[in-house]
Amino acid sequence: MANRIAGYDGVAVAVPVTVPYERFSIRGAHWFIASALKQLVDGAGISKDEIDGLCVASFTLAPDSAVGLTQHLGLSPRWLDHVPMGGASGIVSLRRAARAVQAGDAEIVACIAGDTNHVDSFRQSTASFSMFAQDAVYPYGAGGPNTSFAFLTAYYMRTYGAKPADFGKLCVAQRTNALQFPHALFKKPLTLDEYLTARLVADPLRLFDCVMPCAGADAFLVMSEDRARQLGLPHARLTGAIERHNAFPDDPVQDRGGWVMDRDRLYESAGIGPEDIDLFEAYDDYPVICVLQIEDLGFCGKGEGPDFIRRHSFEANGSFPLNTSGGQLSIGQAGAAGGTLGLVEAIRQLTGQTLGARVENARHALVSGYGMINFDRGLCSGAAILAAT
Amino acid sequence: MKPQDSAPGMEILAGFTSALATGAIRIVDLTQTLGPDFPTIVMPPEIGQSRAFRMEEISRYDERGGAWYWNNLSFGEHTGTHFDAPIHWVSGRDLPNSSTDTIPVADFIAPAVVIDCSRESAADADFLLTPDFIKIWEAAHGKIPPRCWVLMRTDWSKKSDPAAYQNFDEVGQHTPGPDPDAVRFLLNERDVLGFGTETIGTDAGQAAHFLPPYPCHYYMHGAGRYGLQCLTNLDLLPPTGSSLIAPPLKIQQGSGSPLRVLALVPSNPARSRP
Amino acid sequence: MSETIKRPKRKNPILKTRAPTLPPDRRSRIALGLVRGAALGNLELQCCAACGAVQYPPREACVRCLSAELEWTVMSGRGELVSETTLRHSQELFFRERVPWRLGLVRLAEGVSLVAHLDARCGPAPSAVTVEAALDRAGQAVLIAKPASGETALADEPKLRDFTSDPRFRKVLVTDAKSPVGQAVVKAALEAGADLVWAGHCEPWKNPPGWPAIAELPKVTLVPLDVTDTKSVNELAAELGFKVDIVINTSEHHRTFGLFGRTGVETARAEMETNCFGLLRLAQAFGPVMQSRGADGDAGAVAWINLLSIYALSNFPQHATYSASMAAALSVAQALRAEMRTAGIRVVNIFPGPIDDEWNQLLLPPKLAPSAVARAIVGALKGSVEDVYPGDIAQDWLARFRDNPKALERELGR
């Protein structure tokens, strides 16, 4: 008899925070994380000591981890975690914090993801990224994940008939969404023609398939619904959350992610189906990964992504609102904050605190995370469903 | 010299120094420059080899020693212009005072005669000096005095190409030298001090095939006499009248050594030069 | 499809010489297991002794059963190209200078995926490929996917030629061109397309068989070189060091005495003087100037080959002092390799068994013909290896040494 998996009843997420993104900054990651923490505290109308749980994700905090931050920021939490899972860190932080709140191990957990971006940050972070990347990818010329995703994209296109214009459609729609988002670093519209003729980076990936690294932070608070109401905070409810790491290790190329293994449980826990999702914040380090998430989280079958894209529109007012603030591809990737960007946008949409384009009547939001290209595939995946109150 | 001769000795020495200053006595350097390119005797590969001359800088006004330049040297005793001591040969191994450190120093300054074989050597690389040739020379220049150096001029030192100087072909080396009879004659009939050549050995290049092999080494050193090799400028010496200063390094139990060989040559009084 | 290798244009002397850059050089210790195979020209991957699973990337425990008994095993390299890309941009200076650069994702028959440099002659995915381990310019092992059939010499593919030390269009110095091996090497280098061979020689009075013919060959220039004479080495380096692309150090002094077979140290000293200190002199004189030309266009300085001996691995007491001198030379060659690696220049050591020459007259066959040694040297230049063990004896001793070096010591000492 299998153990019943506990639901996420009574868990609220509130106070969506973004520290404005900058292309380059001379400040350290601590500055961005501290800014986020201050906004959380101010936005919640609480004092700093009422934060008794802290969960941090950052690539540029070294030599510190979350531990150093407690002393740096003057916190004495009774629950502390550091989540090194890249774009899946937001979802995983939420899962950890939710259990802590449910069990009473913490009352108000700050989940913060933030990174700085110096002119040589990219090179520094890739140099010490993973053993397999060091031994089996970087020697071949790629200083980051472009090579692995180029392989993945080429394979996907060849296997399932996706065309560049399919991915371009997603990028163009996300840019439209971003134009209304004040923190987006990309301010000009993107046409499909510009997308298709932009310079190649690693065939078939072109310039607009790749995120632009930047500095910034995203953050939110996790607490009980009771506490949220007590503080008078607009909030969303967590109704389901999954994670899976190193799924399908024998697939020669990654054309499905861990979500496939656990998505049924996700929807069951939330008590809804894919058709009930009003907006989807997908992890968009590359457009092909958005397509995998659309397939793997049940919106269409494996390989039906191209057809799905052709049949839908992805702006905030479209038939399938996707990355409604623009996603990393049009806002910028502030390191680990890229994995929290979608969660923060979902909270804003569900609580009516949008900064940009708004999805009408948003009741249920699906947020997905993905990351850590250890060698040839993203190892971490996760997803969460939030509901409006 | 006996003590009562010392006053005339002082005069002779003073006169000698003054003669050097005026050029009445010239110094001719019979020595090849000691460097890594000068050919060295080559033994058959299976046996021990004499090392070629090598210089390794210790420092040259650089980080190895900023204010000075000096070298470490390595070479065999029989390298470049060099002296052979009697102990060098098996026939001389048991003689007293036979190594470079024990040879009586009086033997290091001695008169020299020069026998010109340059024309014959140019025509025949295997030319051998014979007793007859010596007697013809003596007829012109007088009997070879006892206890003097006999220098065989061949102009071989003018060969600047090392291959030509060594002069090997498939059957061995071809350089001029004395035949066994000549050596015996010089020793037994003339009591010479030693034999000197411009070639790489005192013996001819083909001397391994003589009886006995290497007769000049064999007989000279067996008689406690000496050898000089790789000399140069013998063409600047008169047939008679020169004296050689040829002291080897005082090497403990040395079989020979490179050395500076200087000839003291009286000038023609009519043409004295500084 | 690839273009044929073309003669590079003459260099414009007023332009700055490109400085050498290297591909990423860091590897975990376990990943360095690949270089042990690549040094010999083999693709070796870990194979689990408990369950048979092949591992890639290299790791500390079996991915399938967690056993720590992972043994490096030679692989066929057969696989399928599953996906490919062309890098147009790189953060790495080395690749930045060489884009566009083709890469492939390959699924080996053994069921592991790997990223590899992709030969231009490979068809698009999906296609059959053979994966080889090669040494990149940092001297690290990398994987190259080549077409499964057809002409696939690395040196014939313009991008991949950089993994080799291809003698075509290059200038070669053979330090002792007079010995039987030296003569064979001169001829082999010319046949392999060298533009010019400087034939080093000393002891001008020696005229061994074959030597006059070498001197007459076109593209051969005789140069005086005595590796026991510092002045000689330095003078030659001053004269032409800046033009030498490949040094083949064939200088060797070999006698056949056991430790007590020859009184005194002079024979041993002569062996050391040529075999060890000769290499040291050459290294000091030619090394730095070659380093500056490690990335000098398509025909820059690229390799340094040392003719050592299998006796360098484990002393052969019958040739005791010769073995010792070769062991010393090996150590110096390893130091030279570390220095030259920083400039992308490969040091290759050749460890032949006894060569069929006058000094090895009394050794029973098998003995290596000088031409076989020359072939091994040129083969190393055209390929991507750094340790070469030509011939049956060398292969046998290497296998016995790797299996149990102590046993080899006893066997040689009988």
Side-chain angles (χ1 to χ4, degrees):
Chain A
M1 187 161 44
N3 281 340
R4 197 185 67 80
I5 299 177
Y8 289 94
D9 303 8
V11 176
V13 286
V15 195
V17 157
T18 300
V19 176
Y21 289 12
E22 303 167 39
R23 176 74 171 108
F24 291 113
S25 170
I26 62 172
R27 303 189 203 274
H30 300 65
W31 187 90
F32 289 92
I33 293 172
S35 301
L37 181 65
K38 184 161 198 326
Q39 284 193 54
L40 286 173
V41 161
D42 293 347
I46 56 178
S47 70
K48 185 169 52 116
D49 348 304
E50 292 181 71
I51 305 274
D52 62 350
L54 175 66
C55 193
V56 172
S58 176
F59 287 117
T60 54
L61 202 53
D64 277 350
S65 68
V67 175
L69 277 174
T70 61
Q71 194 170 39
H72 197 119
L73 303 177
L75 297 169
S76 304
R78 57 191 175 108
W79 183 93
L80 182 68
D81 206 350
H82 192 106
V83 180
M85 298 185 197
S89 298
I91 302 292
V92 171
S93 299
L94 173 57
R95 273 171 56 94
R96 304 283 181 270
R99 293 308 189 202
V101 162
Q102 283 182 316
D105 287 342
E107 286 196 16
I108 302 182
V109 180
C111 292
I112 309 178
D115 270 293
T116 185
N117 190 42
H118 304 317
V119 287
D120 59 349
S121 281
F122 187 71
R123 189 172 354 116
Q124 302 265 358
S125 65
T126 55
S128 48
F129 191 74
S130 80
M131 176 179 155
F132 283 0
Q134 170 192 268
D135 290 340
V137 180
Y138 298 156
Y140 298 89
N146 284 342
T147 298
S148 300
F149 285 101
F151 287 142
L152 216 155
T153 306
Y155 179 84
Y156 187 91
M157 289 170 74
R158 187 180 94 229
T159 308
Y160 301 116
K163 299 277 179 269
D166 295 324
F167 301 121
K169 184 171 179 184
L170 296 180
C171 295
V172 167
Q174 285 188 207
R175 180 66 65 88
T176 304
N177 292 339
L179 292 176
Q180 298 184 59
F181 187 67
H183 298 306
L185 293 181
F186 288 90
K187 310 254 184 240
K188 295 192 312 174
L190 174 68
T191 66
L192 186 61
D193 191 59
E194 282 172 313
Y195 169 85
L196 291 171
T197 57
R199 67 174 172 87
L200 285 163
V201 171
D203 302 15
L205 299 176
R206 292 180 183 268
L207 182 63
F208 296 110
D209 291 311
C210 306
V211 297
M212 183 174 75
C214 61
D218 286 278
F220 55 91
L221 293 177
V222 181
M223 63 188 76
S224 65
E225 284 194 69
D226 287 344
R227 198 66 199 277
R229 279 191 288 269
Q230 197 185 75
L231 291 170
L233 298 175
H235 59 276
R237 290 179 302 117
L238 177 62
T239 58
I242 54 170
E243 74 186 86
R244 179 70 64 168
H245 307 290
N246 192 31
F248 309 116
D250 295 327
D251 284 356
V253 184
Q254 185 177 47
D255 65 348
R256 54 180 174 162
W259 311 281
V260 173
M261 295 178 73
D262 306 293
R263 66 180 175 210
D264 290 344
R265 201 158 41 75
L266 172 69
Y267 287 113
E268 193 190 308
S269 158
I272 60 168
E275 64 282 357
D276 299 311
I277 298 295
D278 298 312
L279 58 123
F280 182 18
E281 304 298 325
Y283 189 77
D284 63 330
D285 52 353
Y286 297 87
V288 68
I289 302 300
C290 289
V291 180
L292 291 193
Q293 287 163 96
I294 289 171
E295 293 173 351
D296 293 348
L297 283 157
F299 295 103
C300 63
K302 178 53 58 186
E304 293 174 359
D307 177 65
F308 184 93
I309 292 171
R310 292 165 199 164
R311 286 189 288 109
H312 283 282
S313 56
F314 302 93
E315 293 77 3
N317 58 4
S319 61
F320 190 85
L322 176 71
N323 293 337
T324 51
S325 57
Q328 299 173 92
L329 283 170
S330 279
I331 301 173
Q333 182 189 57
T340 301
L341 175 165
L343 267 171
V344 162
E345 171 65 6
I347 298 171
R348 288 187 174 126
Q349 291 284 353
L350 293 174
T351 58
Q353 299 176 88
T354 48
L355 302 181
R358 192 193 158 102
V359 177
E360 297 302 323
N361 302 316
R363 302 296 311 159
H364 299 278
L366 173 66
V367 185
S368 172
Y370 167 87
M372 302 312 286
I373 314 307
N374 194 53
F375 165 43
D376 62 339
R377 61 198 62 207
L379 294 187
C380 302
S381 64
I385 297 179
L386 303 177
T389 50
Chain B
M1 275 216 196
K2 299 189 214 135
Q4 57 264 39
D5 292 338
S6 62
M10 276 171 60
E11 280 179 27
I12 293 167
L13 205 50
F16 171 71
T17 345
S18 136
L20 286 176
T22 62
I25 297 178
R26 285 179 296 119
I27 301 177
V28 179
D29 189 357
L30 303 186
T31 321
Q32 298 268 17
T33 303
L34 199 51
D37 299 326
F38 193 82
T40 316
I41 189 104
V42 178
M43 290 286 107
E46 306 81 34
I47 61 177
Q49 301 295 319
S50 177
R51 267 197 257 152
F53 182 83
R54 292 286 181 258
M55 292 173 73
E56 300 290 351
E57 266 180 20
I58 305 170
S59 74
R60 197 180 186 102
Y61 327 113
D62 56 19
E63 76 282 356
R64 297 169 296 171
W68 46 91
Y69 158 56
W70 52 346
N71 302 291
N72 279 332
L73 307 177
S74 66
F75 48 86
E77 289 165 321
H78 298 262
T79 306
T81 302
H82 68 278
F83 182 104
D84 281 4
I87 204 173
H88 176 45
W89 216 253
V90 62
S91 52
R93 69 191 285 185
D94 297 321
L95 296 176
N97 303 324
S98 57
S99 55
T100 53
D101 55 332
T102 54
I103 293 171
V105 297
D107 288 350
F108 296 147
I109 304 179
V113 302
V114 182
I115 302 181
D116 183 3
C117 314
S118 54
R119 228 169 8 97
E120 292 76 11
S121 303
D124 177 12
D126 290 312
F127 172 75
L128 297 180
L129 178 65
T130 59
D132 283 344
F133 196 95
I134 296 172
K135 284 169 186 163
I136 292 170
W137 182 90
E138 285 186 318
H141 303 291
K143 193 169 155 186
I144 293 173
R147 308 292 298 179
C148 81
W149 284 102
V150 174
L151 306 180
M152 180 180 175
R153 175 189 158 193
T154 54
D155 285 357
W156 206 259
S157 61
K158 296 187 195 296
K159 294 180 190 296
S160 55
D161 171 25
Y165 187 84
Q166 294 271 29
N167 206 27
F168 276 99
D169 65 13
E170 317 81 60
V171 302
Q173 206 160 21
H174 301 275
T175 56
D179 82 354
D181 290 328
V183 182
R184 283 191 287 262
F185 174 80
L186 289 173
L187 276 171
N188 300 336
E189 310 299 327
R190 297 294 179 263
D191 191 28
V192 301
L193 185 71
F195 196 78
T197 62
E198 295 181 57
T199 53
I200 208 156
T202 49
D203 272 300
Q206 288 290 300
H209 305 292
F210 296 170
L211 289 171
Y214 304 102
C216 192
H217 289 81
Y218 187 80
Y219 288 122
M220 283 283 163
H221 301 320
R225 311 301 159 89
Y226 317 116
L228 284 172
Q229 285 119 131
C230 303
L231 296 169
T232 185
N233 287 334
L234 293 188
D235 58 324
L236 300 181
L237 301 184
T240 61
S242 314
S243 286
L244 294 194
I245 303 177
L249 295 172
K250 193 176 181 180
I251 298 171
Q252 186 177 69
Q253 285 278 284
S255 76
S257 85
L259 79 175
R260 201 70 182 261
V261 180
L262 300 177
L264 303 169
V265 183
S267 296
N268 185 321
R271 300 192 287 119
S272 68
R273 293 186 293 169
Chain C
M1 297 310 292
S2 73
E3 324 124 45
T4 50
I5 307 292
K6 293 202 243 305
R7 164 176 295 281
K9 288 215 286 256
R10 202 165 253 203
K11 184 181 159 186
N12 183 345
I14 66 167
L15 296 179
K16 178 185 179 299
T17 301
R18 182 172 69 164
T21 54
L22 296 181
D25 188 26
R26 289 175 52 171
R27 300 288 192 280
S28 65
R29 178 158 233 277
I30 199 71
L32 288 174
L34 272 165
V35 78
R36 195 187 74 157
L40 298 171
N42 295 326
L43 170 65
E44 284 185 5
L45 298 181
Q46 294 162 299
C47 189
C48 178
C51 77
V54 172
Q55 324 281 323
Y56 191 81
R59 62 196 72 205
E60 304 278 9
C62 177
V63 70
R64 197 192 292 164
C65 74
L66 293 179
S67 167
E69 289 178 48
L70 300 175
E71 285 157 9
W72 289 91
T73 313
V74 177
M75 299 280 147
S76 69
R78 277 194 310 273
E80 190 195 25
L81 181 68
V82 224
S83 192
E84 59 178 292
T85 185
T86 301
L87 282 187
R88 307 280 173 171
H89 162 75
S90 174
Q91 300 269 13
E92 297 293 336
L93 287 177
F94 179 87
F95 288 99
R96 195 162 184 266
E97 292 162 359
R98 288 159 176 81
V99 291
W101 191 270
R102 250 185 130 202
L103 293 175
L105 183 67
V106 176
R107 187 79 169 169
L108 285 186
E110 291 83 1
V112 295
S113 288
L114 50 88
V115 176
H117 295 296
L118 188 58
D119 190 309
R121 297 162 291 195
C122 287
S127 59
V129 294
T130 304
V131 173
E132 284 184 2
L135 297 176
D136 66 13
R137 292 249 67 89
Q140 295 288 23
V142 288
L143 305 175
I144 299 184
K146 306 199 318 188
S149 58
E151 286 302 310
T152 60
L154 277 184
D156 290 336
E157 208 268 48
K159 294 271 189 196
L160 300 184
R161 183 169 180 255
D162 219 21
F163 291 94
T164 73
S165 309
D166 182 30
R168 264 178 298 188
F169 312 127
R170 289 194 155 106
K171 300 185 184 58
V172 178
L173 169 65
V174 179
T175 60
D176 178 3
K178 222 187 232 187
S179 67
V181 170
Q183 292 183 31
V185 168
V186 169
K187 287 187 269 201
L190 289 172
E191 270 171 62
D195 257 8
L196 173 66
V197 176
W198 286 291
H201 69 104
C202 59
E203 299 178 324
W205 51 86
K206 275 195 191 163
N207 227 349
W211 176 237
I214 295 289
E216 296 302 312
L217 287 172
K219 300 190 181 182
V220 171
T221 300
L222 264 49
V223 291
L225 178 60
D226 186 333
V227 301
T228 68
D229 176 6
T230 303
K231 187 162 84 70
S232 169
V233 175
N234 289 343
E235 278 178 2
L236 188 66
E239 181 198 326
L240 51 79
F242 69 100
K243 297 200 278 193
V244 174
D245 302 319
I246 298 174
V247 170
I248 305 181
N249 178 20
T250 50
S251 303
E252 202 221 23
H253 188 94
H254 181 193
R255 294 294 182 264
T256 54
F257 298 107
L259 212 54
F260 305 147
R262 169 76 78 149
T263 311
V265 303
E266 284 305 297
T267 304
R269 188 176 285 207
E271 288 164 334
M272 282 292 287
E273 196 62 50
T274 297
N275 301 340
C276 176
F277 296 121
L279 170 57
L280 182 56
R281 290 187 184 94
L282 289 167
Q284 289 187 347
F286 287 89
V289 64
M290 282 179 78
Q291 281 180 319
S292 71
R293 292 188 54 243
D296 191 7
D298 291 327
V302 75
W304 183 302
I305 314 247
N306 294 306
L307 178 63
L308 301 179
S309 162
I310 192 65
Y311 303 167
L313 233 52
S314 189
N315 190 291
F316 182 46
Q318 291 177 48
H319 300 187
T321 56
Y322 173 68
S323 298
S325 73
M326 279 303 181
L330 171 57
S331 195
V332 172
Q334 285 182 303
L336 180 62
R337 177 176 289 146
E339 298 286 351
M340 302 308 276
R341 212 163 70 86
T342 63
I345 295 174
R346 183 162 306 148
V347 172
V348 182
N349 293 323
I350 315 284
F351 302 89
I355 295 174
D356 197 358
D357 64 13
E358 54 189 4
W359 292 103
N360 289 319
Q361 182 213 345
L362 295 179
L363 286 179
L364 294 170
K367 294 189 273 195
L368 266 181
S371 57
V373 180
R375 264 199 310 279
I377 287 175
V378 169
L381 288 173
K382 288 184 176 172
S384 185
V385 293
E386 69 179 30
D387 294 315
V388 183
Y389 296 84
D392 295 331
I393 296 278
Q395 289 287 311
D396 173 60
W397 284 28
L398 174 66
R400 289 195 273 156
F401 180 79
R402 291 172 87 175
D403 174 68
N404 181 344
K406 210 52 175 168
L408 179 62
E409 183 185 336
R410 283 293 170 276
E411 286 161 341
L412 296 180
R414 256 186 287 130

